Amino acid sequence: PVARALPERYLALLVTLAVEVPVALIISSGSHDLKSLIGGDRYTLLMAFLPLTSAISGNVGLQASTLTCRAISHGDCSKASYCWWLWTEVMA
């Protein structure tokens, strides 16, 4: 399974790494200023929510891509009806 899964996921993992490393550097470089601005306890609480926020955003992205692929494969979404389909999904 690893020999098959690694090539399929390698690019996605590299893109994720390329996006997350600068975010981590930005957070770590400004952490002292932020900590002095909001206080140590609030800073700790804020940092505790970062993994949760990242996990939720990942799940939302996966669900959105799954819904889109499913809509295309079942014929619910076509070039002609894409804007209408997107509008109904966003408003749901």
Side-chain angles (χ1 to χ4, degrees):
V2 173
R4 186 179 62 108
L6 183 63
E8 294 174 0
R9 297 180 181 155
Y10 187 68
L11 181 61
L13 291 172
L14 285 178
V15 169
T16 303
L17 181 66
V19 169
E20 292 297 329
V21 166
V23 170
L25 292 174
I26 289 169
I27 290 171
S28 64
S29 68
S31 65
H32 179 68
D33 296 335
L34 182 62
K35 190 174 183 178
S36 64
L37 182 66
I38 65 173
D41 292 338
R42 287 184 179 173
Y43 176 78
T44 303
L45 184 62
L46 181 65
M47 291 301 116
F49 277 103
L50 282 178
L52 179 66
T53 305
S54 180
I56 289 173
S57 64
N59 287 334
V60 167
L62 285 172
Q63 290 177 12
S65 64
T66 300
L67 283 174
T68 303
C69 291
R70 186 177 186 279
I72 292 170
S73 68
H74 284 90
D76 296 333
C77 178
S78 64
K79 287 182 181 179
S81 66
Y82 175 73
C83 288
W84 175 251
W85 173 83
L86 182 62
W87 176 256
T88 58
E89 288 298 322
V90 168
M91 299 320 287

